[in-house]
Amino acid sequence: MVDFTLTDEQKSLRELAHDFAEKEIRPVAWEYDRDGTWPKEIIEKAWQVGLMNTHIPEAYGGPGIGAFEGALVEEELSWGCSGIQTSIGCNGLAAAPIILGGSEALKRRYLTMLTEECRLASFCLTEPDAGSDVSGMRTTAVRRGETYVINGSKCFITNGGYADFYVVYAKTDREAGHRGISAFVVERDWGVVVDKKEDKLGQRASNTATISFNDVEVPRENLLARENEGFKLAMMTLDRTRPGVAAMATGIARAALEFASDYAKERVQFGVPIAMHEAIQFMIADMATEIEAARLLTWKSAVMLDNGERNTLVSSHAKRFAADAAMKAATEAVQIYGGYGFMKEYPVEKLFRDAKIMQLYEGTSQIQRLVIARETLLPRRVAEPAAA
Ligand code: COS
């Protein structure tokens, strides 16, 4: 039987996340967005109440909740502010390759580091010349005795300026395309340089940095999975984290719908609240339907993960659909507010800017369509990389 009813535990987790979003995030979100303020205190509070590192297993000090429960949390926090949620949730993206491909010693050292204290980790895949085309990366890791020496530059790194360690992808065989990439855990103190903080259109409270590695020496045991298995590890990581992005997009869309509905019921034009006009009602109706559909796809992709099924296709369905739904809902919300929607004084302008990144990060909407097309035309089975 398929049942969409949440258990009491799931309901209270969702309530906890919603209360946190309402009391800790919403009151400051627009101010943090305006000033590009790093939400340090909010991250620390989220860590304290257990809304961070949600997927880290109990054995390493985390709550070890499922992807489905994670999606409930992510939607609520993103409803509060997706930029702040990106900062809170980013550890999940960096922890996933360690959970998937790390040796027991690496898991113990780095996952526990995140749960014992409020610390941050970043996922370093993208480079200035290698975004969608992951195998085009130029960062190298050259084996020298018992170490690897990393050289190169990574961009658009969430929490990059504040992370204590980084999961870094680099070429260990320059001639082998995607089969020549490996992943490493690199501690900040080993010589990671933070070059620049980006000034962004949206999600302005989140930190996005360019970082570089100049002859950074990494112990051999910090290799994740096996040498040259980094590409698959990255893909498997994204399969696991894209449902979370879809949940965040659903949260933005929901916020847009709520603001737009409230405004439509108050704003009077032609003698009646604009919510009485069919033109507005149809916009509201489409937003509501797409939110519902985005959430169902998100939940399905998360439940598949929790059931141990390969969710590549549904994960891309969810990420693509929810991101586009968020952009559309935020655009319609601005439209419903009319000229006021274009003003920073009103809330939906921020949502419009925040929604855009949903169609870009963790794989653009076009990359999701590419994955969907490939998986639909030519479904395949993939061998998983082994832990180091
Ligand atoms: N899980 C496990 N393995 C996977 C996989 C998945 N989801 N997807 C692909 N693979 C494997 C393939 O099976 C193939 O294996 P073999 O070497 O055994 O043949 C290998 O990885 C290469 O796959 P593919 O041919 O599909 O690679 P492409 O270079 O064509 O790239 C895309 C595929 C474009 C989908 C990938 O590069 C991608 O997702 N790009 C976007 C990256 C991204 O999201 N960046 C955001 C930064 S992170 S915030």
Side-chain angles (χ1 to χ4, degrees), residues 196-246:
K196 117 170 183 222
K197 175 195 173 227
E198 301 291 351
D199 187 9
K200 308 192 296 291
L201 171 76
Q203 294 209 338
R204 293 176 51 77
S206 74
N207 174 269
T208 308
T210 299
I211 56 174
S212 57
F213 306 85
N214 306 306
D215 287 330
V216 173
E217 287 189 36
V218 178
R220 202 182 145 194
E221 58 268 22
N222 275 39
L223 173 71
L224 292 170
R226 284 193 288 252
E227 202 177 80
N228 297 327
E229 284 190 346
F231 184 92
K232 284 191 189 176
L233 192 61
M235 292 304 118
M236 288 169 59
T237 295
L238 294 170
D239 285 349
R240 278 159 180 75
T241 55
R242 284 173 181 159
V245 179

Side-chain angles (χ1 to χ4, degrees), residues 93 123 125-126 131-135 156 158 178-179 231-233 235-236 238-239 242 310 312 360-364 367-368 370-371 374-375 380-385:
L93 179 61
F123 181 83
L125 186 67
T126 303
S132 296
D133 180 12
V134 173
S135 13
F156 307 154
T158 301
H178 72 265
R179 293 191 180 138
F231 184 92
K232 284 191 189 176
L233 192 61
M235 292 304 118
M236 288 169 59
L238 294 170
D239 285 349
R242 284 173 181 159
R310 184 165 179 263
T312 306
L360 300 170
Y361 68 12
E362 293 205 28
T364 61
I367 287 296
Q368 306 312 325
L370 184 120
V371 172
R374 285 183 184 178
E375 291 279 327
R380 59 185 165 183
R381 296 185 66 79
V382 195
E384 306 210 339

